[in-house]
Amino acid sequence: MEEVIYNKVTPQLIQEFKKIIPGKVHEKEEINEDYFHDEMPIYGKGIPEVVIEATNTEDIAAIVKLCFENNIPVIPRGAGTGLTGAAVALHGGVLIDMSKMNKILDYDMENFVVRVEPGVLLNTLAEDAKNQGLLYPPDPGEKFATLGGNVSTNAGGMRAVKYGCTRDYVRAMTVVLPTGEIIHLGASVSKTSTGYSLIHLMIGSEGTLGIITELTLKVIPAPKETISLIVPFENLKDCIGAVPKIFMAGLKPQALEFMEKEIVLSSERYLGKNVFPKEVEGVNIGAYLLITFDGDRMDLLEELSEQAAEVVLEEGAVDVLVADTPVKKKDAWEARSTFLEAIEAETKLLDECDVVVPVNQIPTYLSFVKSLEDQYDFAIKSFGHAGDGNLHIYACANEMEEEEFKRQVAEFMDIIYKKAAECGGLISGEHGIGSGKMEYLAAFAGETSMRLMKGIKEVFDPKMILNPGKICYKL
Amino acid sequence: MEEVIYNKVTPQLIQEFKKIIPGKVHEKEEINEDYFHDEMPIYGKGIPEVVIEATNTEDIAAIVKLCFENNIPVIPRGAGTGLTGAAVALHGGVLIDMSKMNKILDYDMENFVVRVEPGVLLNTLAEDAKNQGLLYPPDPGEKFATLGGNVSTNAGGMRAVKYGCTRDYVRAMTVVLPTGEIIHLGASVSKTSTGYSLIHLMIGSEGTLGIITELTLKVIPAPKETISLIVPFENLKDCIGAVPKIFMAGLKPQALEFMEKEIVLSSERYLGKNVFPKEVEGVNIGAYLLITFDGDRMDLLEELSEQAAEVVLEEGAVDVLVADTPVKKKDAWEARSTFLEAIEAETKLLDECDVVVPVNQIPTYLSFVKSLEDQYDFAIKSFGHAGDGNLHIYACANEMEEEEFKRQVAEFMDIIYKKAAECGGLISGEHGIGSGKMEYLAAFAGETSMRLMKGIKEVFDPKMILNPGKICYKL
């Protein structure tokens, strides 16, 4: 690989862009500062020279072709809700705002797929599918991310434990390659053994291999009923210990989240509501499971809940509270859904990790992480997906200088990423690598795997113009 | 890419191999002719210079490293049950018999995974998992394939409609790269967004990117009960038309197969049993659905069966027969499982395709295929997975010369592959590309996607030594 040298966007090129997409090419002070960062500004800002509102596949291909010919970086960006700096224009260039391509194109009710533009928000598809009697199963915490962004990070979310991740719902896509060529991958079918899986390579590639301009996603008939259980435990170890027993009993929860008391308190302060019990019959509660079952008949769900209650009580649960009314369910899940917002509201300096460890390693891993708290000036808060071992660990500080916070966090992260690997886990469960986690990925994956990733990047993007400085190539 | 020139295996190299794996290196007349082909010899035979029985990851790495240094082709082979010539030593070299690494290593009952060597047979794992109260959901028709082979073709099978394909059950793997380096991909977790998905690239790569030497596979608690329905229809169109209605009713069959009368007759001749009704109340039966539901309670399965019966009768089913005893279920599924054997027993010259089309395109597609029968001297037989659109179409001849058969089949295949693409389908649902389907893949995927696949192959295998002449690189 020769050294990469990017050119600046010239006034002449801007004129050419404007001919391709009139009225949607912005530069200089027309560019909103929101485009300079994602939800984790601590990983650095980047100022694009031009922002273009995406219109359609062909226009994007024409823009990218010009950038390819002129060695100009191109950065695709969805709703900017990422947590790793993946959509930030670190090397200037042209940022393409994919959130402007936001039409749900059509449902195919015989093959159970929906065709969408990549800028459709998760929440929009979720609501629209519901109106069709369908469920789009992936349910990441951030409902206002774009589906293109979800695919680009293989977003997971609450329902992954039963239904899998975004990857499992991508049937086909249209992609503009860094050369400006257009390819179509996949089909409205669930089986394929048709050459190397380029579609699975695109999924989770965070906008570094191609720009997704259309998606065909699997949907399923919506389950008619849900029921949720709040299960308080004295401590996290008992709480997590109950999880494999729930599966072994043949119960298949739609969602299975754990939360420690401290983060519940933080969320309840934020919402101004008291939802979870803090003491039951004299026992101080230290952790909770929040479990949802779905199905078509409430009587069967009630039976399932009873079976689940037996299992968790056997495993040391202090109580089982059934949230069977819309209000109770909403309260419980609203508390869970606002964890990140609650943390953000209380915190000036924030960094996070998103490791995933085998489910039975959660208590070991979290005890280790907490044992580090005394060594640092920031607070550590955590919650996560008990059903799949995906943990969100936040370093939070209000009184520290940013440089000192960054120094301490870097040391802390280094230690806890190594521990995740030791526990048989991975660097990221669902947030991705972006620019913020590159060194941890490199340390974890090792030289050989990184050489393969870099080689793949060069095959797709021989001039390194697409979303540079992310995942495997630090320029 | 420069021209690839392979060296012959020298006596000195054979001595070195024998030092690495004593007693398991075979050459010349010691090599059984079974190693020269897979189950579809029509795609050509290949004679390896050396056959080595696989022992462990490190030994294989040492062998491959020697071959890399000396430009010797290496071909990993499982049980040789493939249908596309993927495990055939087209350019000589060293064939590694992976079926000899056949230990089930351990179950992790808290994370619901099993660690296996790649040469374990599907049937062996299926039986062993059952004894643990677990189900390994993938259920390809060929039960005596190796798991490594299943992963290498992303094998699908009967239960894919409910549980997905082999891809969905691969959590982690150890791989020997064509350079002799060893990498570990994935973990015992279900979520990941940790860089480009090398593991998904390995899955379905038919032994061309690396040699899989260990697998960690997801298992699930076994459903306690199953019930099967045989549903006769007057014609295939009604039969397939009922399929989306079954899904839309929220019924989730474990398997949903269609079969035309002719293939049922062939199978019944082979088994010497009469299992499926041929005429019901004066109506001649033309096609059948065979449906299985699984779950933990027979009373609920019976309710599901009744709901399913209502749906299919509404859609034109002539009758619904319940196979609720072990014998009835065995008979029905045995008939289905022996379709290929039955065809093979009656046929001298055989070729097949394994396209997948959107479920609602099955009748259109099959009518088209049958309309071609008059133009050729071979017979056309078909069956397939109604739930996922994966069709197995066989060209069968007994009286033709092989050259003429091949000429006619090539023309026929070319037409029906194009039609599959027109119907929104793909070249292969589960059998893969191997050496037999390369030109159809190239025509279907197009130059740009093929350039990406070739580029990926070069990244993994810079000297093109691993399983040459398969998928995307004709040498």
Side-chain angles (χ1 to χ4, degrees):
Chain A
M1 189 74 214
E2 309 154 46
E3 204 190 341
V4 178
I5 298 167
Y6 298 118
N7 292 321
K8 289 284 164 202
V9 182
T10 59
Q12 193 204 338
L13 263 178
I14 292 180
Q15 285 317 308
E16 294 192 52
F17 294 153
K18 286 182 172 173
K19 265 187 243 162
I20 298 167
I21 310 190
K24 295 179 186 295
V25 177
H26 311 288
E27 55 175 325
K28 295 176 187 153
E29 61 281 0
E30 296 164 15
I31 300 176
N32 191 309
E33 288 191 9
D34 282 350
Y35 285 118
F36 298 175
H37 60 85
D38 67 3
E39 286 285 307
M40 201 57 74
I42 200 158
Y43 299 136
K45 296 188 178 183
I47 302 178
E49 295 159 72
V50 177
V51 169
I52 298 179
E53 297 175 43
T55 46
N56 59 55
T57 303
E58 289 68 29
D59 289 353
I60 293 173
I63 299 279
V64 173
K65 190 158 181 287
L66 275 175
C67 292
F68 181 74
E69 288 163 358
N70 290 280
N71 278 30
I72 309 280
V74 179
I75 299 91
R77 183 186 195 268
T81 57
L83 293 166
T84 66
V88 179
L90 295 178
H91 298 270
V94 175
L95 186 146
I96 303 183
D97 181 353
M98 301 302 298
S99 72
K100 305 299 181 185
M101 277 177 74
N102 57 8
K103 284 194 285 295
I104 297 176
L105 298 170
D106 49 58
Y107 289 87
D108 174 345
M109 301 298 272
E110 289 183 305
N111 296 300
F112 292 91
V113 292
V114 57
R115 214 162 47 92
V116 298
E117 291 185 335
V120 171
L121 301 184
L122 172 63
N123 195 58
T124 308
L125 178 62
E127 292 294 322
D128 198 68
K130 199 193 284 176
N131 294 336
Q132 313 278 337
L134 297 170
L135 177 72
Y136 173 64
D139 186 34
E142 173 59 66
K143 310 303 177 205
F144 299 91
T146 63
L147 293 164
N150 279 183
V151 171
S152 296
T153 55
N154 185 26
M158 320 285 188
R159 293 196 286 242
V161 59
K162 178 165 183 178
Y163 291 111
C165 299
T166 301
R167 179 181 297 284
D168 304 305
Y169 292 86
V170 180
R171 287 283 183 255
M173 60 170 74
T174 301
V175 177
V176 173
L177 294 173
T179 51
E181 292 161 294
I182 298 166
I183 56 173
H184 302 281
L185 302 173
S188 302
V189 298
S190 59
K191 269 183 183 170
T192 168
S193 185
T194 305
Y196 301 150
S197 187
L198 301 178
I199 196 167
H200 277 283
L201 200 50
M202 281 298 306
I203 298 166
S205 66
E206 304 183 41
T208 65
L209 299 181
I211 302 178
I212 297 167
T213 59
E214 191 182 299
L215 286 163
T216 301
L217 301 170
K218 178 186 169 187
V219 287
I220 63 171
K224 296 187 182 71
E225 307 281 356
T226 61
I227 195 166
S228 290
L229 305 179
I230 296 170
V231 187
F233 289 85
E234 198 171 348
N235 58 59
L236 185 67
K237 191 160 180 292
D238 291 352
C239 174
I240 300 297
V243 171
K245 312 288 177 184
I246 294 170
F247 294 119
M248 205 59 219
L251 304 166
K252 297 177 193 77
Q254 184 209 62
L256 180 50
E257 300 287 302
F258 79 87
M259 45 204 76
E260 293 184 271
K261 182 160 75 178
E262 199 176 330
I263 204 137
V264 165
L265 292 173
S266 163
S267 172
E268 291 186 345
R269 276 196 298 276
Y270 179 71
L271 290 170
K273 276 184 195 175
N274 187 357
V275 182
F276 289 68
K278 310 302 170 318
E279 198 195 297
V280 179
E281 295 174 12
V283 178
N284 274 319
I285 301 307
Y288 308 83
L289 288 179
L290 177 55
I291 311 173
T292 296
F293 293 102
D294 63 9
D296 288 334
R297 279 168 49 181
M298 191 44 93
D299 60 332
L300 293 177
L301 289 185
E302 281 163 1
E303 275 183 45
L304 274 181
S305 304
E306 278 165 36
Q307 286 176 53
E310 271 176 44
V311 171
V312 294
L313 289 169
E314 181 81 13
E315 296 300 316
V318 181
D319 199 357
V320 176
L321 291 81
V322 181
D324 50 0
T325 68
V327 171
K328 283 185 195 164
K329 265 186 288 198
K330 182 173 163 290
D331 279 354
W333 280 100
E334 187 179 47
R336 166 63 185 86
S337 296
T338 52
F339 283 169
L340 178 53
E341 284 167 62
I343 289 173
E344 283 177 343
E346 295 183 341
T347 311
K348 279 191 204 142
L349 289 169
L350 192 64
D351 201 346
E352 64 110 45
C353 89
D354 152 64
V355 295
V356 55
V357 297
V359 171
N360 62 348
Q361 296 291 312
I362 300 175
T364 307
Y365 186 74
L366 285 182
S367 311
F368 175 81
V369 170
K370 284 186 164 187
S371 75
L372 301 173
E373 196 161 26
D374 292 345
Q375 301 173 32
Y376 298 104
D377 299 327
F378 49 76
I380 299 170
K381 296 184 181 179
S382 71
F383 58 94
H385 309 293
D388 56 40
N390 185 202
L391 307 173
H392 301 310
I393 296 164
Y394 289 84
C396 311
N398 285 316
E399 308 296 332
M400 291 175 76
E401 292 298 319
E402 181 162 339
E403 281 318 299
E404 177 59 13
F405 175 74
K406 281 185 171 177
R407 196 194 62 73
Q408 288 192 19
V409 163
E411 189 188 302
F412 169 69
M413 290 291 173
D414 196 50
I415 295 169
I416 69 172
Y417 279 118
K418 280 190 185 131
K419 183 71 179 178
E422 251 178 71
C423 289
L426 299 170
I427 296 300
S428 169
E430 54 187 12
H431 295 172
I433 303 301
S435 66
K437 315 288 174 77
M438 288 175 68
E439 61 193 288
Y440 306 118
L441 174 67
F444 172 79
E447 271 179 34
T448 306
S449 287
M450 293 310 289
R451 188 188 74 225
L452 296 177
M453 289 192 208
K454 286 177 181 176
I456 290 167
K457 169 71 175 168
E458 288 173 21
V459 167
F460 278 74
D461 188 7
K463 289 182 161 184
M464 293 286 156
I465 62 162
L466 194 63
N467 205 6
K470 314 290 162 66
I471 300 188
C472 58
Y473 250 117
K474 199 145 202 151
L475 296 171
Chain B
M1 189 73 213
E2 308 154 46
E3 205 188 341
V4 177
I5 298 169
Y6 298 118
N7 292 321
K8 290 282 163 202
V9 182
T10 59
Q12 192 204 337
L13 261 177
I14 291 180
Q15 286 317 308
E16 295 194 52
F17 295 153
K18 286 182 173 175
K19 266 187 244 162
I20 298 167
I21 310 190
K24 295 179 186 292
V25 177
H26 311 288
E27 54 174 326
K28 295 178 188 151
E29 60 282 0
E30 297 165 16
I31 300 177
N32 190 310
E33 290 191 7
D34 283 351
Y35 285 118
F36 298 176
H37 60 84
D38 67 3
E39 286 284 308
M40 201 56 73
I42 200 156
Y43 299 137
K45 296 187 177 185
I47 303 178
E49 296 159 70
V50 177
V51 169
I52 298 179
E53 298 176 43
T55 45
N56 60 55
T57 303
E58 290 67 29
D59 289 352
I60 294 173
I63 299 279
V64 173
K65 190 159 179 288
L66 276 175
C67 291
F68 180 75
E69 288 163 358
N70 291 281
N71 278 31
I72 309 278
V74 179
I75 300 91
R77 184 186 194 267
T81 58
L83 293 166
T84 66
V88 179
L90 295 178
H91 299 269
V94 175
L95 187 145
I96 303 184
D97 181 354
M98 301 302 298
S99 73
K100 306 300 181 184
M101 279 178 72
N102 57 8
K103 285 195 282 298
I104 296 175
L105 299 170
D106 49 57
Y107 289 86
D108 174 345
M109 302 297 273
E110 289 184 305
N111 296 299
F112 291 92
V113 291
V114 57
R115 215 161 48 93
V116 299
E117 291 185 334
V120 172
L121 301 184
L122 173 62
N123 195 58
T124 308
L125 179 62
E127 292 294 321
D128 198 68
K130 200 194 283 176
N131 294 335
Q132 313 278 337
L134 298 169
L135 177 72
Y136 173 64
D139 186 33
E142 173 58 66
K143 312 302 178 205
F144 298 92
T146 63
L147 292 164
N150 279 183
V151 172
S152 296
T153 55
N154 184 27
M158 321 284 187
R159 293 196 286 242
V161 58
K162 178 164 181 178
Y163 291 110
C165 298
T166 301
R167 179 181 298 283
D168 304 305
Y169 293 85
V170 180
R171 288 282 183 256
M173 60 170 74
T174 301
V175 177
V176 173
L177 294 173
T179 50
E181 293 161 295
I182 298 166
I183 56 173
H184 302 280
L185 302 173
S188 301
V189 297
S190 60
K191 271 184 181 170
T192 168
S193 185
T194 305
Y196 301 150
S197 186
L198 301 179
I199 196 167
H200 276 284
L201 200 50
M202 282 298 306
I203 298 166
S205 67
E206 304 183 41
T208 65
L209 299 181
I211 301 178
I212 298 168
T213 58
E214 191 182 299
L215 286 163
T216 301
L217 301 170
K218 177 185 168 187
V219 286
I220 63 172
K224 296 187 183 70
E225 307 280 357
T226 61
I227 195 166
S228 290
L229 306 179
I230 296 170
V231 187
F233 289 84
E234 197 171 348
N235 58 59
L236 185 67
K237 191 159 179 292
D238 291 353
C239 173
I240 300 297
V243 172
K245 313 287 176 184
I246 294 171
F247 294 119
M248 205 59 219
L251 304 166
K252 297 178 194 76
Q254 185 210 61
L256 179 50
E257 300 287 301
F258 79 88
M259 44 205 78
E260 293 184 89
K261 183 161 71 178
E262 198 176 332
I263 202 138
V264 165
L265 292 174
S266 163
S267 172
E268 292 186 344
R269 274 196 299 276
Y270 179 71
L271 290 170
K273 276 186 195 172
N274 187 358
V275 182
F276 290 69
K278 310 301 172 317
E279 198 197 298
V280 179
E281 294 174 14
V283 178
N284 275 318
I285 302 307
Y288 309 81
L289 288 179
L290 177 55
I291 311 174
T292 296
F293 294 102
D294 63 8
D296 289 334
R297 280 168 47 183
M298 191 44 94
D299 59 333
L300 293 177
L301 290 185
E302 281 163 0
E303 274 182 46
L304 274 181
S305 303
E306 279 165 34
Q307 284 176 52
E310 272 177 43
V311 170
V312 293
L313 289 168
E314 180 81 15
E315 297 300 315
V318 181
D319 198 359
V320 176
L321 290 81
V322 181
D324 50 0
T325 69
V327 173
K328 284 186 194 163
K329 265 185 286 197
K330 183 174 162 290
D331 279 353
W333 280 100
E334 188 179 46
R336 165 63 185 85
S337 296
T338 52
F339 283 168
L340 177 54
E341 284 167 63
I343 289 173
E344 283 176 342
E346 296 183 340
T347 311
K348 279 190 205 141
L349 289 167
L350 193 64
D351 201 346
E352 65 110 47
C353 91
D354 152 64
V355 296
V356 55
V357 298
V359 171
N360 62 347
Q361 296 291 314
I362 300 175
T364 308
Y365 187 74
L366 285 182
S367 311
F368 174 81
V369 170
K370 284 186 165 188
S371 75
L372 301 173
E373 196 161 27
D374 293 346
Q375 302 174 31
Y376 299 105
D377 299 328
F378 48 77
I380 298 171
K381 296 185 181 179
S382 70
F383 58 93
H385 309 294
D388 56 40
N390 185 200
L391 307 173
H392 301 311
I393 295 164
Y394 289 83
C396 312
N398 286 316
E399 308 297 332
M400 292 175 75
E401 292 297 321
E402 181 162 338
E403 281 317 299
E404 177 60 14
F405 176 75
K406 280 186 172 176
R407 197 194 61 72
Q408 289 192 19
V409 163
E411 189 189 302
F412 170 69
M413 290 291 173
D414 196 52
I415 294 169
I416 70 172
Y417 278 120
K418 281 190 184 130
K419 182 71 179 180
E422 252 178 70
C423 289
L426 298 170
I427 296 300
S428 169
E430 55 187 10
H431 296 171
I433 303 302
S435 67
K437 315 289 173 78
M438 289 175 68
E439 61 192 288
Y440 307 117
L441 175 67
F444 172 81
E447 271 177 37
T448 307
S449 287
M450 291 311 290
R451 188 187 73 226
L452 297 176
M453 289 192 209
K454 286 178 182 177
I456 290 166
K457 169 71 176 168
E458 288 173 22
V459 166
F460 278 72
D461 188 6
K463 289 182 162 185
M464 292 287 155
I465 61 161
L466 193 64
N467 205 6
K470 314 291 162 66
I471 298 187
C472 58
Y473 250 116
K474 200 146 202 149
L475 295 171

